[in-house]
Amino acid sequence: MLHLDADALGRALPPRALVEALRGMFKAGADAPLRHHHTLPSRDDERPGTLLLMPAWQAAGQGYIGVKVATVFPDNPGRRDLSAVTALYYLAEGGSGRPLALIDGTLLTRLRTAAASALGADYLARPDAETLLVVGTGALAPHFIRHHAAVRDYRTVLVWGRDPAKAAAVAEGVTPDLPAGTTVSAVPDLREGMAAADVISCVTSASTAVVPGADLRPGQHLDMAGGFTPLMRETDDEAMRRSRVFIDTEGALVECGDLVDPLKAGVITRDDIQGDLFQLTRGERPGRGRADEITIFKSVGTALEDLAGAALAYETVSA
C-alpha cells in the first residue's frame, strides 16, 4: 500500500491535471453521500470543532473506493499555529476493497477545494479575464491562485486580507509558481481590489459578509469557498439578487449561510440556482451567457472531489 505524504501528493497533483480529473469525475459521476458532521468539544473560549466523515465510491470494477476522515478546529491557526483542517484519506480498489493508498488528507482537501473553484470559473468567468482578486490569506489562498491561474491567463493577481502583512506574504510566496510576467501583489483596500478584478475568489472563515454585493460590477465572477456551515457568510443578499448563482453540489443549499440565509428569507428561490458542477460538466446547463452578467459560484466541497484527487495521485505515482 502506498503512503503519500504532503510532499509526494503535491508533486503528483499539478493544478491543471487536478482540475481535469475533477471535470472527468463530475461528468462520470460517483456515489458520495452527504458528509457526516459531528460536533466536537472544545475549550470554553474557542469555537467548537467538527469531525467529518466523507466516503465516496465508483461502480464495482470500474474505479475506486475512498473515505476521508477530517477534523475542523477553526481556532487552530491563531491559537496553536496549526491548520484549521487536518485529514487523512484512505483509497481502496473498487469491487474488491483492496487497500491501495493512505494519503495526506489535509493537503488533498486544500488542492481539490481550489481545483473545484477553478473548474467552476472555467465555465463561469469571462474567457478574457485578466485580473484575479483572492480574498483571504489562510492556507487555501496560494492554492486558489495556482489553480485559478491554470484555467485563465491572468496578467494580474491581487491578494487582500485584514492583515496586510499576511496578504503580502501570500503574494510573495506564490509568485514563483505563476507564469513569467504575471504581476502578484497585496492590495490594501478591498473595494479597490474589487474594482480592478474580473474574478473574485473568497477563501475566508467569515461569519458576516465580506464582499459587498453592491460593489460587484457587470461581467465579474464571484467565487466563494470559505463558508461551509449555515453560520458562515462571505457575501450579502444583494450579491445574490444581482447574480446568476451556481453551486458545486446540492449540499451547498443546506450547508452554507451564503445560500441558506437568502433562501430562507425569500431573497432567492431554489429555481434561481442555475446549475451545479454535474450539469455544467455534462453540458446540461449553460455556464456564462452574456459578457456583462455577474456570476456566483458557491462550493462547500464533496467527497467526489477527494476521490478524484486521490485516484489521480495514486495513478500518477504508480505509473
Side-chain angles (χ1 to χ4, degrees):
M1 184 170 67
L2 285 177
H3 175 216
L4 301 181
D5 62 13
D7 289 340
L9 182 65
R11 291 191 297 269
L13 295 179
R16 184 72 201 198
L18 182 54
V19 170
E20 295 307 322
L22 263 63
R23 195 192 309 271
M25 186 69 80
F26 274 104
K27 187 179 294 187
D31 288 295
L34 196 62
R35 61 186 137 202
H36 297 257
H37 285 79
H38 300 279
T39 301
L40 299 173
S42 60
R43 290 171 35 168
D44 291 341
D45 60 342
E46 293 185 352
R47 288 173 287 180
T50 305
L51 173 66
L52 300 174
L53 306 176
M54 301 177 64
W57 58 88
Q58 296 170 289
Q62 298 180 16
Y64 300 93
I65 304 164
V67 62
K68 183 172 73 178
V69 179
T71 56
V72 183
F73 284 92
D75 292 322
N76 267 356
R79 296 291 184 91
R80 304 175 184 86
D81 196 27
L82 293 173
S83 171
V85 180
T86 55
L88 194 61
Y89 197 86
Y90 170 77
L91 184 71
E93 183 178 66
S96 72
R98 178 171 65 93
L100 297 176
L102 200 59
I103 299 170
D104 184 297
T106 304
L107 181 60
L108 178 62
T109 301
R110 294 173 184 171
L111 294 177
R112 62 79 156 157
T113 302
S117 286
L119 179 60
D122 202 26
Y123 291 99
L124 302 174
R126 287 174 54 139
D128 59 353
E130 293 185 346
T131 301
L132 169 68
L133 169 65
V134 170
V135 178
T137 58
L140 284 172
H143 300 299
F144 270 65
I145 294 171
R146 296 185 191 105
H147 285 77
H148 276 266
V151 300
R152 289 294 184 273
D153 295 323
Y154 293 109
R155 295 184 180 181
T156 304
V157 176
L158 304 172
V159 183
W160 180 85
R162 290 190 172 92
D163 185 335
K166 289 183 179 179
V170 170
E172 181 180 358
V174 79
T175 297
D177 301 327
L178 300 180
T182 306
T183 300
V184 189
S185 62
V187 61
D189 182 75
L190 175 60
R191 283 182 165 85
E192 177 187 338
M194 289 182 62
D198 300 304
V199 175
I200 303 165
S201 185
C202 294
V203 285
T204 76
S205 58
S207 56
T208 57
V210 178
V211 173
D215 289 345
L216 294 172
R217 59 176 173 78
Q220 284 184 320
H221 173 60
L222 174 59
D223 163 61
M224 296 183 293
F228 58 90
T229 77
L231 300 180
M232 302 172 76
R233 291 202 69 168
E234 293 185 295
T235 196
D236 54 23
D237 290 351
E238 181 64 14
M240 294 296 172
R241 288 191 190 98
R242 300 183 62 204
S243 307
R244 294 182 66 228
V245 181
F246 295 80
I247 57 178
D248 58 347
T249 68
E250 292 286 319
L253 300 176
V254 297
E255 292 189 345
C256 66
D258 284 299
L259 288 171
V260 169
D261 289 349
L263 284 168
K264 189 174 182 179
V267 174
I268 59 173
T269 69
R270 178 64 183 82
D271 290 339
D272 291 318
I273 306 302
Q274 301 294 306
D276 58 30
L277 281 179
F278 294 104
Q279 295 164 324
L280 287 170
T281 57
R282 296 169 185 175
E284 297 171 356
R285 294 287 181 90
R288 172 170 288 275
R290 304 187 317 274
D292 64 346
E293 68 189 14
I294 300 170
T295 54
I296 282 179
F297 179 70
K298 174 55 195 169
S299 60
V300 293
T302 168
L304 177 151
E305 298 163 2
D306 296 307
L307 184 63
L312 175 60
Y314 173 75
E315 291 172 359
T316 300
V317 173
S318 300

